[in-house]
Amino acid sequence: MPVPVAPGRLPLLGHTLPMMRERHKFTASLRNNGDVVRVDLGTMRTYFVTNPRLVHELLVTKGSAFRKGALFDKFRPFFGNGLATSDGAFHRRQRRMVRPALHRDRVARYAEAMARATAELTATWRPGQVRAVERDTQALAVTIACQALFSTELDRRAIDEVRRSIFTVIRNGMVRALTPPLVGKLPLPGNREFDRAIGRMRGIVLDLVRRRREDGVDHGDLLSTLLDAQDADTGAGMSDQQVHDEVLTLLVGGVETTALALAWTFHELARHPEVERRVHAEVDRVLDGRAPAFADVGKLVYLNQVVNEVLRMYPIWFLMRRALVPVELGGVTLPEGAEVIFSPHALHHDPASFADPHRFDPDRWSPERAAEVPKGAFVPFGAGARQCVGNLFAQTEIAIAVATVAARWRLVPLPDKPVRVKFTSTAYPSDMLMTVVPRQ
């Protein structure tokens, strides 16, 4: 079956809202060309999968025929060979060793720290104060990730360095990955800033790992779990470098997802008073004035619907896979080595899967309607063997943080101060200025 060719080339870079809209318009338009469409990424020929059923095949039913694609090759020199970038037998081994650190029982233990960190942040708020909400959610996400990973006073230098460098690493790392290699070697301010930040984080985490090895004490945090992990088949543990790579993966993946989801959740609650009212009523009923615990997350049904809708509306732009062998998708045989792209943003805004997809509608995640969403149409954490191992941690953190804030506060946008959006791999709010108002 011939593969349709998309008109024009996929625009790669640009941080303005018009460019963001052009990118999304382009990727959304590809579904009009077919289920599998050839797209040129510069000089690279790729195959763009637009059909959610085929995305499910790509990630799940035929997932073993694919590995991470060219985008992840670009990340590996910076972020190491953690779960986000590794492949094959090594990925399976690492996933088995990392998974216990994020098991449901451990996440339940971290939930108390999540609620406490959120309460400590909001304790600094004053009625009528104007907050840059995206800065608060970034600071909160870093605090929670660091408390889960590093629990001792000896870890303070590592925590301070993460606070200083993590968002430089995340944002500039995506820009570096999407630009030609030659550009990344130029002495540009962004390149120098990124190189210094990633170098500092690499050094401080490796030093911490070595000191923990010498300490030999289980501190009950994620880092201790990674250091104690053993391969079930061989009994071997991780090297210092492998522990470093997984720590960096957990930090980058966990901090960005939750910080952005929290910021956009508060934004959407403020824009939709009836949704906000329902969230407040549910939080009041379930919590009855106390701090949220892990057991409460499943009871906050409507709040979880709101979070799902935020994850639907503000996902990553695109992800890649590479075919290990010739593989058939939707009647098209992809050759060995083919680079395959899918866009969570385009899938999440496909009117065939989501009616009126640009409307914020948490009720689309009611049990009855959610059951109608096609497989592969909603992939905020991926799917299959490479689904984000920290998805339960992230979802728990978002729900507990929102519930903690909603129990006491409303966040009201400043009039005539629209939120600016910066864009790399996903939409970053900038100047999300909101007034904190105590709930009556």
Side-chain angles (χ1 to χ4, degrees), residues 104 107-108 111-112 114-115 282 286-287 290-305 307 391-403:
R104 183 180 183 86
V107 173
E112 181 181 346
M114 295 171 182
E282 182 178 69
V286 172
L287 301 185
R290 58 179 173 78
F294 183 75
D296 297 315
V297 173
K299 302 173 186 176
L300 295 168
V301 177
Y302 186 69
L303 173 55
N304 286 313
Q305 291 177 200
V307 172
N391 62 326
L392 177 62
F393 187 102
Q395 289 169 301
T396 301
E397 179 181 349
I398 296 165
I400 284 183
V402 173

PDB file of all heavy atoms in Angstrom, residues 104 107-108 111-112 114-115 282 286-287 290-305 307 391-403:
ATOM      1  N   ARG A 104       2.861   0.813  44.319  1.00  0.00           N
ATOM      2  CA  ARG A 104       1.713   1.468  44.945  1.00  0.00           C
ATOM      3  C   ARG A 104       1.933   1.684  46.442  1.00  0.00           C
ATOM      4  O   ARG A 104       1.589   2.744  46.988  1.00  0.00           O
ATOM      5  CB  ARG A 104       0.473   0.597  44.706  1.00  0.00           C
ATOM      6  CG  ARG A 104      -0.824   1.188  45.249  1.00  0.00           C
ATOM      7  CD  ARG A 104      -1.993   0.248  44.958  1.00  0.00           C
ATOM      8  NE  ARG A 104      -3.243   0.830  45.395  1.00  0.00           N
ATOM      9  CZ  ARG A 104      -3.989   1.646  44.681  1.00  0.00           C
ATOM     10  NH1 ARG A 104      -3.584   1.992  43.472  1.00  0.00           N
ATOM     11  NH2 ARG A 104      -5.122   2.128  45.137  1.00  0.00           N
ATOM     12  N   VAL A 107       4.300   4.617  46.906  1.00  0.00           N
ATOM     13  CA  VAL A 107       3.649   5.880  46.558  1.00  0.00           C
ATOM     14  C   VAL A 107       2.711   6.300  47.678  1.00  0.00           C
ATOM     15  O   VAL A 107       2.615   7.487  48.024  1.00  0.00           O
ATOM     16  CB  VAL A 107       2.894   5.757  45.219  1.00  0.00           C
ATOM     17  CG1 VAL A 107       2.068   7.017  44.941  1.00  0.00           C
ATOM     18  CG2 VAL A 107       3.880   5.520  44.074  1.00  0.00           C
ATOM     19  N   ALA A 108       2.020   5.331  48.270  1.00  0.00           N
ATOM     20  CA  ALA A 108       1.125   5.648  49.393  1.00  0.00           C
ATOM     21  C   ALA A 108       1.898   6.278  50.545  1.00  0.00           C
ATOM     22  O   ALA A 108       1.402   7.187  51.220  1.00  0.00           O
ATOM     23  CB  ALA A 108       0.413   4.377  49.856  1.00  0.00           C
ATOM     24  N   ALA A 111       2.630   9.957  49.820  1.00  0.00           N
ATOM     25  CA  ALA A 111       1.475  10.846  49.708  1.00  0.00           C
ATOM     26  C   ALA A 111       1.426  11.849  50.854  1.00  0.00           C
ATOM     27  O   ALA A 111       1.059  13.019  50.664  1.00  0.00           O
ATOM     28  CB  ALA A 111       0.185  10.022  49.654  1.00  0.00           C
ATOM     29  N   GLU A 112       1.779  11.417  52.063  1.00  0.00           N
ATOM     30  CA  GLU A 112       1.774  12.330  53.200  1.00  0.00           C
ATOM     31  C   GLU A 112       2.752  13.482  52.970  1.00  0.00           C
ATOM     32  O   GLU A 112       2.443  14.643  53.277  1.00  0.00           O
ATOM     33  CB  GLU A 112       2.142  11.583  54.475  1.00  0.00           C
ATOM     34  CG  GLU A 112       2.130  12.450  55.727  1.00  0.00           C
ATOM     35  CD  GLU A 112       2.513  11.685  56.980  1.00  0.00           C
ATOM     36  OE1 GLU A 112       2.534  10.427  56.923  1.00  0.00           O
ATOM     37  OE2 GLU A 112       2.789  12.330  58.012  1.00  0.00           O
ATOM     38  N   MET A 114       3.684  14.616  50.072  1.00  0.00           N
ATOM     39  CA  MET A 114       3.121  15.460  49.023  1.00  0.00           C
ATOM     40  C   MET A 114       2.163  16.489  49.618  1.00  0.00           C
ATOM     41  O   MET A 114       2.215  17.680  49.272  1.00  0.00           O
ATOM     42  CB  MET A 114       2.379  14.590  47.995  1.00  0.00           C
ATOM     43  CG  MET A 114       3.248  13.634  47.210  1.00  0.00           C
ATOM     44  SD  MET A 114       2.237  12.492  46.215  1.00  0.00           S
ATOM     45  CE  MET A 114       3.508  11.460  45.460  1.00  0.00           C
ATOM     46  N   ALA A 115       1.271  16.020  50.511  1.00  0.00           N
ATOM     47  CA  ALA A 115       0.305  16.934  51.134  1.00  0.00           C
ATOM     48  C   ALA A 115       1.025  17.946  52.021  1.00  0.00           C
ATOM     49  O   ALA A 115       0.673  19.137  52.042  1.00  0.00           O
ATOM     50  CB  ALA A 115      -0.709  16.136  51.946  1.00  0.00           C
ATOM     51  N   GLU A 282     -16.552  18.492  46.279  1.00  0.00           N
ATOM     52  CA  GLU A 282     -16.068  17.123  46.459  1.00  0.00           C
ATOM     53  C   GLU A 282     -14.940  17.063  47.483  1.00  0.00           C
ATOM     54  O   GLU A 282     -14.908  16.176  48.346  1.00  0.00           O
ATOM     55  CB  GLU A 282     -15.591  16.552  45.123  1.00  0.00           C
ATOM     56  CG  GLU A 282     -15.114  15.105  45.227  1.00  0.00           C
ATOM     57  CD  GLU A 282     -14.693  14.558  43.877  1.00  0.00           C
ATOM     58  OE1 GLU A 282     -13.649  15.023  43.345  1.00  0.00           O
ATOM     59  OE2 GLU A 282     -15.377  13.659  43.344  1.00  0.00           O
ATOM     60  N   VAL A 286     -15.103  14.833  50.879  1.00  0.00           N
ATOM     61  CA  VAL A 286     -14.193  13.694  51.078  1.00  0.00           C
ATOM     62  C   VAL A 286     -13.218  13.949  52.224  1.00  0.00           C
ATOM     63  O   VAL A 286     -12.971  13.070  53.058  1.00  0.00           O
ATOM     64  CB  VAL A 286     -13.422  13.387  49.776  1.00  0.00           C
ATOM     65  CG1 VAL A 286     -12.329  12.339  50.019  1.00  0.00           C
ATOM     66  CG2 VAL A 286     -14.387  12.898  48.695  1.00  0.00           C
ATOM     67  N   LEU A 287     -12.662  15.153  52.296  1.00  0.00           N
ATOM     68  CA  LEU A 287     -11.623  15.419  53.289  1.00  0.00           C
ATOM     69  C   LEU A 287     -12.187  15.896  54.626  1.00  0.00           C
ATOM     70  O   LEU A 287     -11.570  15.665  55.671  1.00  0.00           O
ATOM     71  CB  LEU A 287     -10.632  16.456  52.744  1.00  0.00           C
ATOM     72  CG  LEU A 287      -9.904  16.083  51.451  1.00  0.00           C
ATOM     73  CD1 LEU A 287      -8.875  17.159  51.110  1.00  0.00           C
ATOM     74  CD2 LEU A 287      -9.225  14.726  51.581  1.00  0.00           C
ATOM     75  N   ARG A 290      -9.558  17.709  56.821  1.00  0.00           N
ATOM     76  CA  ARG A 290      -8.237  17.142  57.114  1.00  0.00           C
ATOM     77  C   ARG A 290      -7.372  17.122  55.854  1.00  0.00           C
ATOM     78  O   ARG A 290      -7.849  17.368  54.746  1.00  0.00           O
ATOM     79  CB  ARG A 290      -8.375  15.730  57.671  1.00  0.00           C
ATOM     80  CG  ARG A 290      -9.101  14.785  56.752  1.00  0.00           C
ATOM     81  CD  ARG A 290      -9.208  13.366  57.309  1.00  0.00           C
ATOM     82  NE  ARG A 290     -10.065  12.552  56.450  1.00  0.00           N
ATOM     83  CZ  ARG A 290      -9.681  12.032  55.300  1.00  0.00           C
ATOM     84  NH1 ARG A 290      -8.445  12.241  54.842  1.00  0.00           N
ATOM     85  NH2 ARG A 290     -10.513  11.302  54.577  1.00  0.00           N
ATOM     86  N   ALA A 291      -6.085  16.833  56.022  1.00  0.00           N
ATOM     87  CA  ALA A 291      -5.170  16.745  54.887  1.00  0.00           C
ATOM     88  C   ALA A 291      -5.466  15.488  54.072  1.00  0.00           C
ATOM     89  O   ALA A 291      -5.848  14.456  54.636  1.00  0.00           O
ATOM     90  CB  ALA A 291      -3.730  16.715  55.380  1.00  0.00           C
ATOM     91  N   PRO A 292      -5.310  15.540  52.756  1.00  0.00           N
ATOM     92  CA  PRO A 292      -5.576  14.355  51.933  1.00  0.00           C
ATOM     93  C   PRO A 292      -4.523  13.276  52.141  1.00  0.00           C
ATOM     94  O   PRO A 292      -3.349  13.565  52.382  1.00  0.00           O
ATOM     95  CB  PRO A 292      -5.538  14.901  50.505  1.00  0.00           C
ATOM     96  CG  PRO A 292      -4.674  16.105  50.586  1.00  0.00           C
ATOM     97  CD  PRO A 292      -4.910  16.699  51.944  1.00  0.00           C
ATOM     98  N   ALA A 293      -4.955  12.027  52.036  1.00  0.00           N
ATOM     99  CA  ALA A 293      -4.072  10.864  52.105  1.00  0.00           C
ATOM    100  C   ALA A 293      -4.231  10.053  50.827  1.00  0.00           C
ATOM    101  O   ALA A 293      -5.129  10.315  50.016  1.00  0.00           O
ATOM    102  CB  ALA A 293      -4.419  10.017  53.330  1.00  0.00           C
ATOM    103  N   PHE A 294      -3.376   9.072  50.657  1.00  0.00           N
ATOM    104  CA  PHE A 294      -3.416   8.257  49.444  1.00  0.00           C
ATOM    105  C   PHE A 294      -4.779   7.600  49.263  1.00  0.00           C
ATOM    106  O   PHE A 294      -5.291   7.517  48.150  1.00  0.00           O
ATOM    107  CB  PHE A 294      -2.315   7.200  49.499  1.00  0.00           C
ATOM    108  CG  PHE A 294      -2.230   6.344  48.264  1.00  0.00           C
ATOM    109  CD1 PHE A 294      -1.690   6.850  47.089  1.00  0.00           C
ATOM    110  CD2 PHE A 294      -2.695   5.038  48.277  1.00  0.00           C
ATOM    111  CE1 PHE A 294      -1.607   6.065  45.943  1.00  0.00           C
ATOM    112  CE2 PHE A 294      -2.616   4.247  47.136  1.00  0.00           C
ATOM    113  CZ  PHE A 294      -2.072   4.765  45.970  1.00  0.00           C
ATOM    114  N   ALA A 295      -5.373   7.146  50.364  1.00  0.00           N
ATOM    115  CA  ALA A 295      -6.674   6.479  50.273  1.00  0.00           C
ATOM    116  C   ALA A 295      -7.771   7.401  49.756  1.00  0.00           C
ATOM    117  O   ALA A 295      -8.814   6.933  49.273  1.00  0.00           O
ATOM    118  CB  ALA A 295      -7.066   5.918  51.639  1.00  0.00           C
ATOM    119  N   ASP A 296      -7.566   8.716  49.854  1.00  0.00           N
ATOM    120  CA  ASP A 296      -8.583   9.664  49.398  1.00  0.00           C
ATOM    121  C   ASP A 296      -8.563   9.875  47.886  1.00  0.00           C
ATOM    122  O   ASP A 296      -9.556  10.345  47.319  1.00  0.00           O
ATOM    123  CB  ASP A 296      -8.378  11.021  50.075  1.00  0.00           C
ATOM    124  CG  ASP A 296      -8.546  10.958  51.579  1.00  0.00           C
ATOM    125  OD1 ASP A 296      -9.524  10.330  52.029  1.00  0.00           O
ATOM    126  OD2 ASP A 296      -7.689  11.509  52.292  1.00  0.00           O
ATOM    127  N   VAL A 297      -7.431   9.573  47.259  1.00  0.00           N
ATOM    128  CA  VAL A 297      -7.293   9.900  45.835  1.00  0.00           C
ATOM    129  C   VAL A 297      -8.372   9.216  45.009  1.00  0.00           C
ATOM    130  O   VAL A 297      -9.003   9.823  44.138  1.00  0.00           O
ATOM    131  CB  VAL A 297      -5.882   9.532  45.330  1.00  0.00           C
ATOM    132  CG1 VAL A 297      -5.785   9.716  43.815  1.00  0.00           C
ATOM    133  CG2 VAL A 297      -4.822  10.381  46.038  1.00  0.00           C
ATOM    134  N   GLY A 298      -8.624   7.942  45.281  1.00  0.00           N
ATOM    135  CA  GLY A 298      -9.652   7.227  44.533  1.00  0.00           C
ATOM    136  C   GLY A 298     -11.057   7.726  44.792  1.00  0.00           C
ATOM    137  O   GLY A 298     -11.963   7.507  43.982  1.00  0.00           O
ATOM    138  N   LYS A 299     -11.261   8.412  45.919  1.00  0.00           N
ATOM    139  CA  LYS A 299     -12.581   8.945  46.258  1.00  0.00           C
ATOM    140  C   LYS A 299     -12.828  10.305  45.610  1.00  0.00           C
ATOM    141  O   LYS A 299     -13.979  10.757  45.543  1.00  0.00           O
ATOM    142  CB  LYS A 299     -12.722   9.070  47.778  1.00  0.00           C
ATOM    143  CG  LYS A 299     -12.525   7.758  48.523  1.00  0.00           C
ATOM    144  CD  LYS A 299     -12.500   7.990  50.033  1.00  0.00           C
ATOM    145  CE  LYS A 299     -12.167   6.726  50.790  1.00  0.00           C
ATOM    146  NZ  LYS A 299     -12.050   6.953  52.250  1.00  0.00           N
ATOM    147  N   LEU A 300     -11.772  10.965  45.165  1.00  0.00           N
ATOM    148  CA  LEU A 300     -11.907  12.282  44.533  1.00  0.00           C
ATOM    149  C   LEU A 300     -12.185  12.081  43.041  1.00  0.00           C
ATOM    150  O   LEU A 300     -11.380  12.409  42.170  1.00  0.00           O
ATOM    151  CB  LEU A 300     -10.636  13.102  44.766  1.00  0.00           C
ATOM    152  CG  LEU A 300     -10.360  13.451  46.234  1.00  0.00           C
ATOM    153  CD1 LEU A 300      -8.950  13.987  46.406  1.00  0.00           C
ATOM    154  CD2 LEU A 300     -11.388  14.483  46.734  1.00  0.00           C
ATOM    155  N   VAL A 301     -13.336  11.527  42.753  1.00  0.00           N
ATOM    156  CA  VAL A 301     -13.671  11.071  41.398  1.00  0.00           C
ATOM    157  C   VAL A 301     -13.690  12.239  40.414  1.00  0.00           C
ATOM    158  O   VAL A 301     -13.076  12.180  39.340  1.00  0.00           O
ATOM    159  CB  VAL A 301     -15.026  10.338  41.398  1.00  0.00           C
ATOM    160  CG1 VAL A 301     -15.415   9.938  39.970  1.00  0.00           C
ATOM    161  CG2 VAL A 301     -14.946   9.109  42.296  1.00  0.00           C
ATOM    162  N   TYR A 302     -14.406  13.299  40.765  1.00  0.00           N
ATOM    163  CA  TYR A 302     -14.509  14.417  39.823  1.00  0.00           C
ATOM    164  C   TYR A 302     -13.170  15.127  39.672  1.00  0.00           C
ATOM    165  O   TYR A 302     -12.798  15.528  38.570  1.00  0.00           O
ATOM    166  CB  TYR A 302     -15.580  15.405  40.275  1.00  0.00           C
ATOM    167  CG  TYR A 302     -15.828  16.501  39.251  1.00  0.00           C
ATOM    168  CD1 TYR A 302     -16.436  16.199  38.040  1.00  0.00           C
ATOM    169  CD2 TYR A 302     -15.440  17.811  39.497  1.00  0.00           C
ATOM    170  CE1 TYR A 302     -16.652  17.184  37.085  1.00  0.00           C
ATOM    171  CE2 TYR A 302     -15.652  18.805  38.557  1.00  0.00           C
ATOM    172  CZ  TYR A 302     -16.256  18.485  37.347  1.00  0.00           C
ATOM    173  OH  TYR A 302     -16.462  19.464  36.397  1.00  0.00           O
ATOM    174  N   LEU A 303     -12.429  15.278  40.753  1.00  0.00           N
ATOM    175  CA  LEU A 303     -11.105  15.896  40.661  1.00  0.00           C
ATOM    176  C   LEU A 303     -10.214  15.109  39.722  1.00  0.00           C
ATOM    177  O   LEU A 303      -9.478  15.687  38.900  1.00  0.00           O
ATOM    178  CB  LEU A 303     -10.469  15.988  42.045  1.00  0.00           C
ATOM    179  CG  LEU A 303      -9.009  16.466  42.110  1.00  0.00           C
ATOM    180  CD1 LEU A 303      -8.823  17.806  41.417  1.00  0.00           C
ATOM    181  CD2 LEU A 303      -8.542  16.547  43.558  1.00  0.00           C
ATOM    182  N   ASN A 304     -10.260  13.795  39.769  1.00  0.00           N
ATOM    183  CA  ASN A 304      -9.468  12.983  38.847  1.00  0.00           C
ATOM    184  C   ASN A 304      -9.924  13.178  37.407  1.00  0.00           C
ATOM    185  O   ASN A 304      -9.105  13.130  36.478  1.00  0.00           O
ATOM    186  CB  ASN A 304      -9.539  11.512  39.241  1.00  0.00           C
ATOM    187  CG  ASN A 304      -8.710  11.208  40.475  1.00  0.00           C
ATOM    188  OD1 ASN A 304      -7.560  11.624  40.563  1.00  0.00           O
ATOM    189  ND2 ASN A 304      -9.274  10.486  41.432  1.00  0.00           N
ATOM    190  N   GLN A 305     -11.223  13.401  37.201  1.00  0.00           N
ATOM    191  CA  GLN A 305     -11.701  13.707  35.850  1.00  0.00           C
ATOM    192  C   GLN A 305     -11.113  15.028  35.361  1.00  0.00           C
ATOM    193  O   GLN A 305     -10.723  15.157  34.193  1.00  0.00           O
ATOM    194  CB  GLN A 305     -13.231  13.772  35.836  1.00  0.00           C
ATOM    195  CG  GLN A 305     -13.908  12.429  36.057  1.00  0.00           C
ATOM    196  CD  GLN A 305     -15.419  12.534  36.099  1.00  0.00           C
ATOM    197  OE1 GLN A 305     -16.090  11.653  36.621  1.00  0.00           O
ATOM    198  NE2 GLN A 305     -15.983  13.607  35.553  1.00  0.00           N
ATOM    199  N   VAL A 307      -8.249  16.342  36.286  1.00  0.00           N
ATOM    200  CA  VAL A 307      -6.835  16.113  36.000  1.00  0.00           C
ATOM    201  C   VAL A 307      -6.671  15.401  34.659  1.00  0.00           C
ATOM    202  O   VAL A 307      -5.804  15.764  33.850  1.00  0.00           O
ATOM    203  CB  VAL A 307      -6.176  15.301  37.137  1.00  0.00           C
ATOM    204  CG1 VAL A 307      -4.749  14.893  36.760  1.00  0.00           C
ATOM    205  CG2 VAL A 307      -6.172  16.116  38.430  1.00  0.00           C
ATOM    206  N   ASN A 391       3.926   6.956  36.518  1.00  0.00           N
ATOM    207  CA  ASN A 391       2.615   7.556  36.272  1.00  0.00           C
ATOM    208  C   ASN A 391       1.745   7.594  37.528  1.00  0.00           C
ATOM    209  O   ASN A 391       1.048   8.572  37.786  1.00  0.00           O
ATOM    210  CB  ASN A 391       1.886   6.840  35.123  1.00  0.00           C
ATOM    211  CG  ASN A 391       1.597   5.376  35.420  1.00  0.00           C
ATOM    212  OD1 ASN A 391       2.374   4.703  36.094  1.00  0.00           O
ATOM    213  ND2 ASN A 391       0.499   4.868  34.912  1.00  0.00           N
ATOM    214  N   LEU A 392       1.794   6.551  38.369  1.00  0.00           N
ATOM    215  CA  LEU A 392       0.984   6.564  39.587  1.00  0.00           C
ATOM    216  C   LEU A 392       1.480   7.638  40.547  1.00  0.00           C
ATOM    217  O   LEU A 392       0.672   8.348  41.172  1.00  0.00           O
ATOM    218  CB  LEU A 392       1.026   5.194  40.264  1.00  0.00           C
ATOM    219  CG  LEU A 392       0.266   5.095  41.597  1.00  0.00           C
ATOM    220  CD1 LEU A 392      -1.226   5.366  41.387  1.00  0.00           C
ATOM    221  CD2 LEU A 392       0.479   3.726  42.247  1.00  0.00           C
ATOM    222  N   PHE A 393       2.783   7.795  40.669  1.00  0.00           N
ATOM    223  CA  PHE A 393       3.352   8.839  41.515  1.00  0.00           C
ATOM    224  C   PHE A 393       2.868  10.199  41.049  1.00  0.00           C
ATOM    225  O   PHE A 393       2.418  11.031  41.849  1.00  0.00           O
ATOM    226  CB  PHE A 393       4.878   8.765  41.467  1.00  0.00           C
ATOM    227  CG  PHE A 393       5.583   9.687  42.421  1.00  0.00           C
ATOM    228  CD1 PHE A 393       6.124   9.205  43.605  1.00  0.00           C
ATOM    229  CD2 PHE A 393       5.728  11.041  42.141  1.00  0.00           C
ATOM    230  CE1 PHE A 393       6.777  10.047  44.489  1.00  0.00           C
ATOM    231  CE2 PHE A 393       6.380  11.896  43.020  1.00  0.00           C
ATOM    232  CZ  PHE A 393       6.907  11.397  44.200  1.00  0.00           C
ATOM    233  N   ALA A 394       2.945  10.455  39.732  1.00  0.00           N
ATOM    234  CA  ALA A 394       2.556  11.755  39.192  1.00  0.00           C
ATOM    235  C   ALA A 394       1.072  12.022  39.396  1.00  0.00           C
ATOM    236  O   ALA A 394       0.675  13.120  39.825  1.00  0.00           O
ATOM    237  CB  ALA A 394       2.904  11.827  37.704  1.00  0.00           C
ATOM    238  N   GLN A 395       0.232  11.051  39.096  1.00  0.00           N
ATOM    239  CA  GLN A 395      -1.206  11.251  39.240  1.00  0.00           C
ATOM    240  C   GLN A 395      -1.592  11.469  40.703  1.00  0.00           C
ATOM    241  O   GLN A 395      -2.459  12.291  41.010  1.00  0.00           O
ATOM    242  CB  GLN A 395      -1.949  10.052  38.653  1.00  0.00           C
ATOM    243  CG  GLN A 395      -1.877   9.978  37.138  1.00  0.00           C
ATOM    244  CD  GLN A 395      -2.394   8.657  36.593  1.00  0.00           C
ATOM    245  OE1 GLN A 395      -1.901   7.590  36.922  1.00  0.00           O
ATOM    246  NE2 GLN A 395      -3.408   8.742  35.740  1.00  0.00           N
ATOM    247  N   THR A 396      -0.948  10.741  41.598  1.00  0.00           N
ATOM    248  CA  THR A 396      -1.211  10.926  43.028  1.00  0.00           C
ATOM    249  C   THR A 396      -0.778  12.310  43.482  1.00  0.00           C
ATOM    250  O   THR A 396      -1.506  13.013  44.209  1.00  0.00           O
ATOM    251  CB  THR A 396      -0.465   9.848  43.834  1.00  0.00           C
ATOM    252  OG1 THR A 396      -0.902   8.554  43.419  1.00  0.00           O
ATOM    253  CG2 THR A 396      -0.710  10.022  45.326  1.00  0.00           C
ATOM    254  N   GLU A 397       0.397  12.727  43.046  1.00  0.00           N
ATOM    255  CA  GLU A 397       0.912  14.043  43.430  1.00  0.00           C
ATOM    256  C   GLU A 397      -0.005  15.158  42.952  1.00  0.00           C
ATOM    257  O   GLU A 397      -0.313  16.093  43.710  1.00  0.00           O
ATOM    258  CB  GLU A 397       2.307  14.228  42.844  1.00  0.00           C
ATOM    259  CG  GLU A 397       2.932  15.572  43.145  1.00  0.00           C
ATOM    260  CD  GLU A 397       4.310  15.718  42.520  1.00  0.00           C
ATOM    261  OE1 GLU A 397       4.871  14.723  42.032  1.00  0.00           O
ATOM    262  OE2 GLU A 397       4.823  16.857  42.527  1.00  0.00           O
ATOM    263  N   ILE A 398      -0.458  15.083  41.710  1.00  0.00           N
ATOM    264  CA  ILE A 398      -1.322  16.131  41.168  1.00  0.00           C
ATOM    265  C   ILE A 398      -2.627  16.198  41.957  1.00  0.00           C
ATOM    266  O   ILE A 398      -3.077  17.275  42.372  1.00  0.00           O
ATOM    267  CB  ILE A 398      -1.598  15.879  39.674  1.00  0.00           C
ATOM    268  CG1 ILE A 398      -0.289  15.970  38.862  1.00  0.00           C
ATOM    269  CG2 ILE A 398      -2.614  16.878  39.138  1.00  0.00           C
ATOM    270  CD1 ILE A 398      -0.400  15.396  37.465  1.00  0.00           C
ATOM    271  N   ALA A 399      -3.253  15.042  42.182  1.00  0.00           N
ATOM    272  CA  ALA A 399      -4.538  15.025  42.886  1.00  0.00           C
ATOM    273  C   ALA A 399      -4.393  15.557  44.309  1.00  0.00           C
ATOM    274  O   ALA A 399      -5.219  16.357  44.776  1.00  0.00           O
ATOM    275  CB  ALA A 399      -5.110  13.608  42.895  1.00  0.00           C
ATOM    276  N   ILE A 400      -3.367  15.132  45.012  1.00  0.00           N
ATOM    277  CA  ILE A 400      -3.194  15.563  46.404  1.00  0.00           C
ATOM    278  C   ILE A 400      -2.864  17.051  46.482  1.00  0.00           C
ATOM    279  O   ILE A 400      -3.377  17.778  47.346  1.00  0.00           O
ATOM    280  CB  ILE A 400      -2.120  14.696  47.092  1.00  0.00           C
ATOM    281  CG1 ILE A 400      -2.723  13.339  47.428  1.00  0.00           C
ATOM    282  CG2 ILE A 400      -1.553  15.385  48.326  1.00  0.00           C
ATOM    283  CD1 ILE A 400      -1.817  12.405  48.180  1.00  0.00           C
ATOM    284  N   ALA A 401      -2.021  17.538  45.571  1.00  0.00           N
ATOM    285  CA  ALA A 401      -1.677  18.959  45.590  1.00  0.00           C
ATOM    286  C   ALA A 401      -2.897  19.822  45.283  1.00  0.00           C
ATOM    287  O   ALA A 401      -3.149  20.832  45.960  1.00  0.00           O
ATOM    288  CB  ALA A 401      -0.560  19.242  44.596  1.00  0.00           C
ATOM    289  N   VAL A 402      -3.670  19.451  44.274  1.00  0.00           N
ATOM    290  CA  VAL A 402      -4.861  20.236  43.935  1.00  0.00           C
ATOM    291  C   VAL A 402      -5.869  20.197  45.078  1.00  0.00           C
ATOM    292  O   VAL A 402      -6.456  21.222  45.439  1.00  0.00           O
ATOM    293  CB  VAL A 402      -5.490  19.725  42.625  1.00  0.00           C
ATOM    294  CG1 VAL A 402      -6.825  20.435  42.360  1.00  0.00           C
ATOM    295  CG2 VAL A 402      -4.547  19.941  41.454  1.00  0.00           C
ATOM    296  N   ALA A 403      -6.061  19.026  45.670  1.00  0.00           N
ATOM    297  CA  ALA A 403      -7.014  18.920  46.780  1.00  0.00           C
ATOM    298  C   ALA A 403      -6.567  19.758  47.973  1.00  0.00           C
ATOM    299  O   ALA A 403      -7.398  20.406  48.636  1.00  0.00           O
ATOM    300  CB  ALA A 403      -7.170  17.456  47.185  1.00  0.00           C
TER     301      ALA A 403
END
